[in-house]
Amino acid sequence: MSATAAAYENIQVETDGAVGIIRLDRPKAYNALNAALVDEVGHALRAFEADDTVGCMVLTGSEKAFAAGADIKEMQEKSYADVQREDFITDDWEVLTHCRKPVIAAVAGFALGGGCEFALMCDMIIAADTAQFGQPEVQLGIIPGAGGTQRLTRSVGKSMAMYMCLTGDKIDAQTALQAGLVAKVVPADDLMEETLKAAQKIAGLSRPVVATCKEAVNRAYETTLSEGVLFERRAFHGTFALEDRSEGMQAFIEKRKPEWKHR
């Protein structure tokens, strides 16, 4: 693995082949998401997006916590006027949702409040068997504000989302898997190995095809079925303009590994 040139105070950033890795690193605060950390994550994501050698990204934390929520000490003194004027938890928080390259959340330990919402902004979640997910904001006199009532509901359905948001109770990794919140649960010791295996597989495919496929899946959340299928159909037709489409089919016929040109 090789580290990137940029230096950060709240995250660690490195690359593993064609995979960019961002590790949240505020261990004393269980990776609580303060403004400085979120700003650094946004900077690192933009850098990986601009790096043509990177095809997929992984966002992770520590063994104890992916992120235990937003930083309550940072929020406690804010007034309504403050959060309204700042459009609080918007700018860099939403960078994850604008990435064209896939982002996988590798979650161990606590993913609570803003931490759960951060994971939900990623394209998929691979969880360690130690992972715990929750939206405990109601216990603090607020509600989820970074997509917890919206993305969570789209992932697990109304009943489970209501349960998590109204009680603040946590769910374990297996419950999250059964509910559709995570794609896969693996032993904690194997979390990064399994996540990097998936990330490397994605990064080894045609970049424009992967980006198009990600966009089409995301469209399913934003539109009706008929409009979504129409979008998919046009995007599918568009792949026939790619050199990689021609190469992929030719390689299949010739029973060899395709040589992607990413165009």
Side-chain angles (χ1 to χ4, degrees):
M1 295 187 179
S2 60
T4 61
Y8 299 100
E9 295 182 2
N10 299 285
I11 63 174
Q12 297 176 13
V13 177
E14 62 184 341
T15 56
D16 183 352
V19 177
I21 304 168
I22 301 171
R23 186 180 296 276
L24 309 182
D25 188 30
R26 293 187 70 208
K28 293 182 179 179
Y30 288 88
N31 294 332
L33 305 171
N34 64 2
L37 182 150
V38 174
D39 180 70
E40 290 182 2
V41 169
H43 183 278
L45 287 169
R46 292 185 185 98
F48 283 142
E49 279 280 278
D51 187 343
D52 289 339
T53 67
V54 171
C56 187
M57 294 174 277
V58 171
L59 181 65
T60 191
S62 68
E63 294 179 0
K64 294 182 178 180
F66 175 75
D71 194 318
I72 305 303
K73 293 180 180 179
E74 188 176 70
M75 290 194 292
Q76 199 274 329
E77 296 297 326
K78 291 183 181 291
S79 67
Y80 170 76
D82 293 332
V83 296
Q84 196 274 341
R85 181 181 64 253
E86 297 171 14
D87 199 12
F88 185 51
I89 61 169
T90 298
D91 290 337
D92 280 328
W93 283 75
E94 295 290 334
V95 173
L96 271 166
T97 66
H98 300 309
C99 291
R100 299 193 68 198
K101 296 175 183 178
V103 185
I104 304 175
V107 177
F110 298 120
L112 307 177
C116 185
E117 291 168 315
F118 232 38
L120 283 163
M121 291 181 195
C122 297
D123 296 302
M124 70 183 82
I125 302 171
I126 296 178
D129 52 13
T130 59
Q132 296 186 63
F133 299 87
Q135 298 291 163
E137 289 90 344
V138 69
Q139 298 174 356
L140 301 176
I142 56 175
I143 72 168
T149 66
Q150 303 301 305
R151 294 188 182 96
L152 182 63
T153 305
R154 285 165 167 78
S155 294
V156 304
K158 177 182 175 182
S159 187
M160 178 63 82
M162 282 289 191
Y163 174 79
M164 293 175 67
C165 291
L166 294 182
T167 67
D169 287 353
K170 298 185 288 291
I171 62 172
D172 62 21
Q174 284 299 329
T175 303
L177 178 64
Q178 293 166 6
L181 178 59
V182 307
K184 189 176 184 180
V185 175
V186 300
D189 290 344
D190 300 333
L191 177 61
M192 285 306 294
E193 179 183 352
E194 291 297 318
T195 303
L196 286 171
K197 188 184 299 182
Q200 294 287 13
K201 185 172 185 178
I202 293 168
L205 298 170
S206 166
R207 306 280 166 80
V209 172
V210 166
T212 300
C213 192
K214 169 178 171 171
E215 188 176 16
V217 172
N218 280 332
R219 183 58 62 100
Y221 281 92
E222 305 294 341
T223 190
T224 63
L225 177 59
S226 59
E227 287 299 315
V229 170
L230 178 60
F231 181 89
E232 176 191 83
R233 193 71 37 72
R234 297 296 177 256
F236 166 72
H237 291 164
T239 61
F240 279 71
L242 295 170
E243 291 183 31
D244 283 346
R245 192 279 311 174
S246 179
E247 165 62 12
M249 290 187 174
Q250 190 65 35
F252 177 83
I253 292 169
E254 296 175 0
K255 296 185 169 69
R256 59 175 175 82
K257 186 176 180 180
E259 297 179 8
W260 307 119
K261 297 182 179 179
H262 306 299
R263 61 177 186 260

